[in-house]
Amino acid sequence: MQISNTDRAQVLVQALPYIQTHAGRTIVVKYGGSAMVDEKLKDAVMSDIVLMQLIGIRVVVVHGGGREISAMLGKIGKESRFVGGLRYTDRETIDVVQMVLAGKVNKDLVQLLERHGGRAVGLCGLDDGLMTAKKLDGGEDLGYVGEITKINPAVIHHATENGYIPVISTVAGGENGEVYNINADIAAARIAAELRAEKLILMTDVRGLLCDKNDETTLIPVVNVSDVPKLRNQGIISGGMIPKIDCCVDAVRRGVERAHIIDGRIPHSILIELFSDEGIGTMMY
């Protein structure tokens, strides 16, 4: 489809006030879902992030890699086991998690950002004590699955102040030398709060919060965190959306100005959400 020069100019004019608002601010992007698997979507996300950096936004990327972990476990003949949606992580599995997340997945993303003209540095929770964790309490034993006890953002600040995009994998260190697997949504929310970020963006494989989960035309574009208990009682917030909404609520209550759940299956969904009047997902405040 051909876009006229007038239309191009109109897009830039509409984006200008948003660019002026976000420049110099910190935005944390939790990268995951189909956008980590589909090559065209990967390229779209990386170009979005580089563009954000170029216009003066301090972008911090937090990523998971569940599919890659499962694939590697399969290669060594180990079956993936999940309890309540969380990966059971024994000693052998945490070694694989660390190798895949902090190694291949992280460095592949750094390289991809640099191919798109960005400057990126790969980090994990073990670097400079970025994330400290303890064993996740409550319910069935999940092995080396952790809950965050402390975020030390010094290395993130050092990276952004020197023109780098920090790309963070979510393994964390324990107080006695243990390594823990951390849920990437939760890690992104806590990091965003510690950085006093303007926005937290969670990339998912759904449009956002829907009145009817089977009808994508029922998107709820804006939610106040005070309305979340009512929406949960009504069954609108249910299933896999519960932990994502909880992460957004936690981030906002800890000081993040806005949290967004957007559909990573749509190319350039980050830019549409940030720089257009309409937006694309669900914003929480």
Side-chain angles (χ1 to χ4, degrees), residues 166-276:
V167 181
I168 303 168
S169 61
T170 55
V171 291
E175 293 184 357
N176 297 307
E178 312 93 333
V179 176
Y180 289 106
N181 186 13
I182 306 294
N183 176 276
D185 289 341
I186 293 172
R190 287 292 303 274
I191 288 170
E194 193 66 34
L195 294 174
R196 289 293 184 262
E198 178 194 14
K199 291 180 181 291
L200 166 68
I201 297 175
L202 299 183
M203 302 190 73
T204 68
D205 286 343
V206 294
R207 287 293 306 276
L209 181 61
L210 307 175
C211 275
D212 178 353
K213 65 181 180 181
N214 298 313
D215 183 356
E216 291 194 341
T217 66
T218 64
L219 177 71
I220 303 174
V222 181
V223 174
N224 188 295
V225 295
S226 63
D227 293 329
V228 167
K230 179 177 69 175
L231 293 170
R232 194 192 294 257
N233 290 337
Q234 293 172 342
I236 293 173
I237 300 174
S238 62
M241 188 56 70
I242 292 174
K244 294 190 180 297
I245 293 291
D246 286 347
C247 283
C248 291
V249 170
D250 183 57
V252 170
R253 287 183 172 164
R254 288 177 182 267
V256 177
E257 293 179 24
R258 300 285 188 269
H260 302 253
I261 298 174
I262 66 171
D263 190 347
R265 299 169 301 177
I266 299 173
H268 304 295
S269 55
I270 298 176
L271 297 187
I272 297 170
E273 181 67 17
L274 289 179
F275 301 126
S276 71

Side-chain angles (χ1 to χ4, degrees), residues 95-153:
D95 288 344
V96 172
V97 168
Q98 183 176 352
M99 175 178 69
V100 172
L101 288 189
K104 187 177 189 312
V105 174
N106 187 267
K107 301 315 174 190
D108 283 352
L109 292 177
V110 169
Q111 185 180 43
L112 194 52
L113 282 166
E114 296 196 346
R115 277 175 46 202
H116 282 78
R119 298 178 68 206
V121 60
L123 301 169
C124 74
L126 304 176
D127 293 313
D128 195 35
L130 197 164
M131 281 190 286
T132 304
K134 65 178 182 178
K135 185 179 176 66
L136 183 64
D137 293 328
E140 188 170 342
D141 182 18
L142 293 168
Y144 290 91
V145 174
E147 59 180 310
I148 296 169
T149 57
K150 182 182 178 183
I151 300 288
N152 172 20

Side-chain angles (χ1 to χ4, degrees), residues 68-90:
E68 293 86 348
I69 293 168
S70 294
M72 181 59 72
L73 288 171
K75 287 179 181 179
I76 65 173
K78 189 172 182 67
E79 183 178 356
S80 294
R81 177 185 161 204
F82 293 89
V83 179
L86 296 173
R87 183 185 301 276
Y88 177 77
T89 307
D90 59 16

